[in-house]
PDB file of all heavy atoms in Angstrom:
ATOM      1  N   PRO A 318     -53.916  -1.364  -6.166  1.00 86.00           N
ATOM      2  CA  PRO A 318     -54.609  -0.200  -6.829  1.00 86.00           C
ATOM      3  C   PRO A 318     -53.990   1.054  -6.550  1.00 86.00           C
ATOM      4  O   PRO A 318     -54.397   2.143  -6.803  1.00 86.00           O
ATOM      5  CB  PRO A 318     -55.970  -0.252  -6.465  1.00 86.00           C
ATOM      6  CG  PRO A 318     -56.053  -0.856  -5.079  1.00 86.00           C
ATOM      7  CD  PRO A 318     -54.809  -1.849  -5.038  1.00 86.00           C
ATOM      8  N   VAL A 319     -52.903   1.045  -5.781  1.00 88.00           N
ATOM      9  CA  VAL A 319     -52.238   2.326  -5.308  1.00 88.00           C
ATOM     10  C   VAL A 319     -50.746   2.262  -5.749  1.00 88.00           C
ATOM     11  O   VAL A 319     -50.217   1.248  -6.164  1.00 88.00           O
ATOM     12  CB  VAL A 319     -52.272   2.618  -3.793  1.00 88.00           C
ATOM     13  CG1 VAL A 319     -53.722   2.797  -3.433  1.00 88.00           C
ATOM     14  CG2 VAL A 319     -51.605   1.461  -3.097  1.00 88.00           C
ATOM     15  N   THR A 320     -50.072   3.470  -5.851  1.00 88.00           N
ATOM     16  CA  THR A 320     -48.566   3.511  -6.307  1.00 88.00           C
ATOM     17  C   THR A 320     -47.849   3.031  -5.070  1.00 88.00           C
ATOM     18  O   THR A 320     -47.944   3.530  -3.979  1.00 88.00           O
ATOM     19  CB  THR A 320     -48.314   4.937  -6.532  1.00 88.00           C
ATOM     20  OG1 THR A 320     -49.213   5.387  -7.665  1.00 88.00           O
ATOM     21  CG2 THR A 320     -46.835   5.008  -7.045  1.00 88.00           C
ATOM     22  N   VAL A 321     -47.009   2.079  -5.283  1.00 88.00           N
ATOM     23  CA  VAL A 321     -46.073   1.518  -4.415  1.00 88.00           C
ATOM     24  C   VAL A 321     -44.586   1.596  -4.922  1.00 88.00           C
ATOM     25  O   VAL A 321     -44.391   1.143  -6.021  1.00 88.00           O
ATOM     26  CB  VAL A 321     -46.389  -0.012  -3.997  1.00 88.00           C
ATOM     27  CG1 VAL A 321     -45.562  -0.620  -3.052  1.00 88.00           C
ATOM     28  CG2 VAL A 321     -47.905  -0.067  -3.584  1.00 88.00           C
ATOM     29  N   GLU A 322     -43.740   2.053  -3.985  1.00 90.00           N
ATOM     30  CA  GLU A 322     -42.291   2.024  -4.321  1.00 90.00           C
ATOM     31  C   GLU A 322     -41.635   1.088  -3.486  1.00 90.00           C
ATOM     32  O   GLU A 322     -41.737   1.161  -2.174  1.00 90.00           O
ATOM     33  CB  GLU A 322     -41.689   3.470  -4.116  1.00 90.00           C
ATOM     34  CG  GLU A 322     -42.320   4.618  -5.102  1.00 90.00           C
ATOM     35  CD  GLU A 322     -41.748   5.859  -4.953  1.00 90.00           C
ATOM     36  OE1 GLU A 322     -40.631   6.097  -4.111  1.00 90.00           O
ATOM     37  OE2 GLU A 322     -42.205   6.884  -5.344  1.00 90.00           O
ATOM     38  N   VAL A 323     -40.857   0.174  -4.018  1.00 89.00           N
ATOM     39  CA  VAL A 323     -40.223  -0.833  -3.252  1.00 89.00           C
ATOM     40  C   VAL A 323     -38.611  -0.675  -3.450  1.00 89.00           C
ATOM     41  O   VAL A 323     -38.164  -0.546  -4.580  1.00 89.00           O
ATOM     42  CB  VAL A 323     -40.554  -2.211  -3.796  1.00 89.00           C
ATOM     43  CG1 VAL A 323     -39.817  -3.336  -3.082  1.00 89.00           C
ATOM     44  CG2 VAL A 323     -42.044  -2.418  -3.710  1.00 89.00           C
ATOM     45  N   GLU A 324     -37.984  -0.544  -2.403  1.00 90.00           N
ATOM     46  CA  GLU A 324     -36.502  -0.509  -2.208  1.00 90.00           C
ATOM     47  C   GLU A 324     -36.064  -1.736  -1.378  1.00 90.00           C
ATOM     48  O   GLU A 324     -36.193  -1.713  -0.207  1.00 90.00           O
ATOM     49  CB  GLU A 324     -35.976   0.804  -1.661  1.00 90.00           C
ATOM     50  CG  GLU A 324     -34.426   0.989  -1.644  1.00 90.00           C
ATOM     51  CD  GLU A 324     -34.063   2.274  -1.093  1.00 90.00           C
ATOM     52  OE1 GLU A 324     -34.838   3.173  -0.898  1.00 90.00           O
ATOM     53  OE2 GLU A 324     -32.808   2.554  -0.899  1.00 90.00           O
ATOM     54  N   ALA A 325     -35.404  -2.535  -2.138  1.00 87.00           N
ATOM     55  CA  ALA A 325     -34.963  -3.835  -1.406  1.00 87.00           C
ATOM     56  C   ALA A 325     -33.331  -3.974  -1.627  1.00 87.00           C
ATOM     57  O   ALA A 325     -32.880  -3.933  -2.826  1.00 87.00           O
ATOM     58  CB  ALA A 325     -35.648  -5.028  -1.995  1.00 87.00           C
ATOM     59  N   GLU A 326     -32.591  -3.885  -0.535  1.00 87.00           N
ATOM     60  CA  GLU A 326     -31.126  -4.190  -0.583  1.00 87.00           C
ATOM     61  C   GLU A 326     -30.909  -5.206   0.268  1.00 87.00           C
ATOM     62  O   GLU A 326     -30.433  -5.223   1.423  1.00 87.00           O
ATOM     63  CB  GLU A 326     -30.462  -2.815  -0.074  1.00 87.00           C
ATOM     64  CG  GLU A 326     -30.739  -1.679  -0.871  1.00 87.00           C
ATOM     65  CD  GLU A 326     -30.033  -0.401  -0.279  1.00 87.00           C
ATOM     66  OE1 GLU A 326     -29.210  -0.618   0.725  1.00 87.00           O
ATOM     67  OE2 GLU A 326     -30.121   0.726  -0.847  1.00 87.00           O
ATOM     68  N   LEU A 327     -30.865  -6.494  -0.392  1.00 86.00           N
ATOM     69  CA  LEU A 327     -30.775  -7.673   0.298  1.00 86.00           C
ATOM     70  C   LEU A 327     -29.579  -8.467  -0.396  1.00 86.00           C
ATOM     71  O   LEU A 327     -29.826  -8.880  -1.628  1.00 86.00           O
ATOM     72  CB  LEU A 327     -31.937  -8.587   0.352  1.00 86.00           C
ATOM     73  CG  LEU A 327     -33.244  -7.992   0.981  1.00 86.00           C
ATOM     74  CD1 LEU A 327     -34.502  -8.929   0.852  1.00 86.00           C
ATOM     75  CD2 LEU A 327     -32.952  -7.700   2.411  1.00 86.00           C
ATOM     76  N   PRO A 328     -28.384  -8.562   0.179  1.00 86.00           N
ATOM     77  CA  PRO A 328     -27.268  -9.238  -0.452  1.00 86.00           C
ATOM     78  C   PRO A 328     -27.426 -10.633  -0.673  1.00 86.00           C
ATOM     79  O   PRO A 328     -26.559 -11.243  -1.297  1.00 86.00           O
ATOM     80  CB  PRO A 328     -26.093  -8.844   0.399  1.00 86.00           C
ATOM     81  CG  PRO A 328     -26.707  -8.575   1.711  1.00 86.00           C
ATOM     82  CD  PRO A 328     -28.141  -7.998   1.586  1.00 86.00           C
ATOM     83  N   GLY A 329     -28.420 -11.316  -0.182  1.00 86.00           N
ATOM     84  CA  GLY A 329     -28.449 -12.800  -0.251  1.00 86.00           C
ATOM     85  C   GLY A 329     -29.943 -13.167   0.140  1.00 86.00           C
ATOM     86  O   GLY A 329     -30.895 -12.455   0.239  1.00 86.00           O
ATOM     87  N   ARG A 330     -30.252 -14.481   0.275  1.00 87.00           N
ATOM     88  CA  ARG A 330     -31.466 -15.002   0.587  1.00 87.00           C
ATOM     89  C   ARG A 330     -31.550 -15.540   2.002  1.00 87.00           C
ATOM     90  O   ARG A 330     -30.625 -16.027   2.568  1.00 87.00           O
ATOM     91  CB  ARG A 330     -31.744 -16.355  -0.315  1.00 87.00           C
ATOM     92  CG  ARG A 330     -31.792 -15.886  -1.821  1.00 87.00           C
ATOM     93  CD  ARG A 330     -33.218 -15.223  -2.229  1.00 87.00           C
ATOM     94  NE  ARG A 330     -34.317 -16.228  -1.923  1.00 87.00           N
ATOM     95  CZ  ARG A 330     -34.876 -17.039  -2.627  1.00 87.00           C
ATOM     96  NH1 ARG A 330     -34.386 -17.162  -3.880  1.00 87.00           N
ATOM     97  NH2 ARG A 330     -35.849 -17.785  -2.397  1.00 87.00           N
ATOM     98  N   ALA A 331     -32.683 -15.187   2.650  1.00 85.00           N
ATOM     99  CA  ALA A 331     -32.947 -15.754   4.010  1.00 85.00           C
ATOM    100  C   ALA A 331     -33.448 -17.169   3.747  1.00 85.00           C
ATOM    101  O   ALA A 331     -33.828 -17.670   2.711  1.00 85.00           O
ATOM    102  CB  ALA A 331     -33.976 -14.937   4.866  1.00 85.00           C
ATOM    103  N   GLU A 332     -33.792 -17.830   4.991  1.00 86.00           N
ATOM    104  CA  GLU A 332     -34.254 -19.196   4.871  1.00 86.00           C
ATOM    105  C   GLU A 332     -35.731 -18.979   4.403  1.00 86.00           C
ATOM    106  O   GLU A 332     -36.391 -18.043   4.695  1.00 86.00           O
ATOM    107  CB  GLU A 332     -34.268 -19.826   6.245  1.00 86.00           C
ATOM    108  CG  GLU A 332     -32.788 -20.182   6.741  1.00 86.00           C
ATOM    109  CD  GLU A 332     -32.788 -20.857   8.111  1.00 86.00           C
ATOM    110  OE1 GLU A 332     -33.986 -20.929   8.765  1.00 86.00           O
ATOM    111  OE2 GLU A 332     -31.799 -21.237   8.666  1.00 86.00           O
ATOM    112  N   ALA A 333     -36.228 -20.098   3.807  1.00 82.00           N
ATOM    113  CA  ALA A 333     -37.530 -20.013   3.213  1.00 82.00           C
ATOM    114  C   ALA A 333     -38.598 -19.741   4.196  1.00 82.00           C
ATOM    115  O   ALA A 333     -39.541 -18.903   3.919  1.00 82.00           O
ATOM    116  CB  ALA A 333     -37.877 -21.458   2.466  1.00 82.00           C
ATOM    117  N   PRO A 334     -38.627 -20.290   5.387  1.00 81.00           N
ATOM    118  CA  PRO A 334     -39.655 -19.898   6.326  1.00 81.00           C
ATOM    119  C   PRO A 334     -39.649 -18.402   6.672  1.00 81.00           C
ATOM    120  O   PRO A 334     -40.747 -17.859   6.916  1.00 81.00           O
ATOM    121  CB  PRO A 334     -39.519 -20.746   7.578  1.00 81.00           C
ATOM    122  CG  PRO A 334     -38.741 -21.955   7.036  1.00 81.00           C
ATOM    123  CD  PRO A 334     -37.870 -21.373   5.939  1.00 81.00           C
ATOM    124  N   VAL A 335     -38.494 -17.803   6.842  1.00 85.00           N
ATOM    125  CA  VAL A 335     -38.358 -16.417   7.220  1.00 85.00           C
ATOM    126  C   VAL A 335     -38.754 -15.560   5.998  1.00 85.00           C
ATOM    127  O   VAL A 335     -39.571 -14.556   6.138  1.00 85.00           O
ATOM    128  CB  VAL A 335     -36.930 -16.085   7.549  1.00 85.00           C
ATOM    129  CG1 VAL A 335     -36.660 -14.555   7.687  1.00 85.00           C
ATOM    130  CG2 VAL A 335     -36.487 -16.740   8.829  1.00 85.00           C
ATOM    131  N   GLU A 336     -38.450 -15.939   4.726  1.00 86.00           N
ATOM    132  CA  GLU A 336     -39.002 -15.208   3.674  1.00 86.00           C
ATOM    133  C   GLU A 336     -40.363 -15.332   3.555  1.00 86.00           C
ATOM    134  O   GLU A 336     -41.101 -14.328   3.199  1.00 86.00           O
ATOM    135  CB  GLU A 336     -38.247 -15.771   2.311  1.00 86.00           C
ATOM    136  CG  GLU A 336     -36.939 -15.329   2.170  1.00 86.00           C
ATOM    137  CD  GLU A 336     -36.337 -15.717   0.803  1.00 86.00           C
ATOM    138  OE1 GLU A 336     -36.921 -16.610   0.143  1.00 86.00           O
ATOM    139  OE2 GLU A 336     -35.427 -15.026   0.314  1.00 86.00           O
ATOM    140  N   SER A 337     -40.980 -16.442   3.770  1.00 83.00           N
ATOM    141  CA  SER A 337     -42.389 -16.633   3.757  1.00 83.00           C
ATOM    142  C   SER A 337     -43.096 -15.754   4.867  1.00 83.00           C
ATOM    143  O   SER A 337     -44.135 -15.065   4.548  1.00 83.00           O
ATOM    144  CB  SER A 337     -42.819 -18.107   3.957  1.00 83.00           C
ATOM    145  OG  SER A 337     -44.308 -18.206   3.863  1.00 83.00           O
TER     146      SER A 337
END
Side-chain angles (χ1 to χ4, degrees):
V319 299
T320 302
V321 182
E322 296 182 13
V323 180
E324 182 177 349
E326 297 181 3
L327 301 176
R330 296 281 302 269
E332 295 181 355
V335 174
E336 286 191 334
S337 180

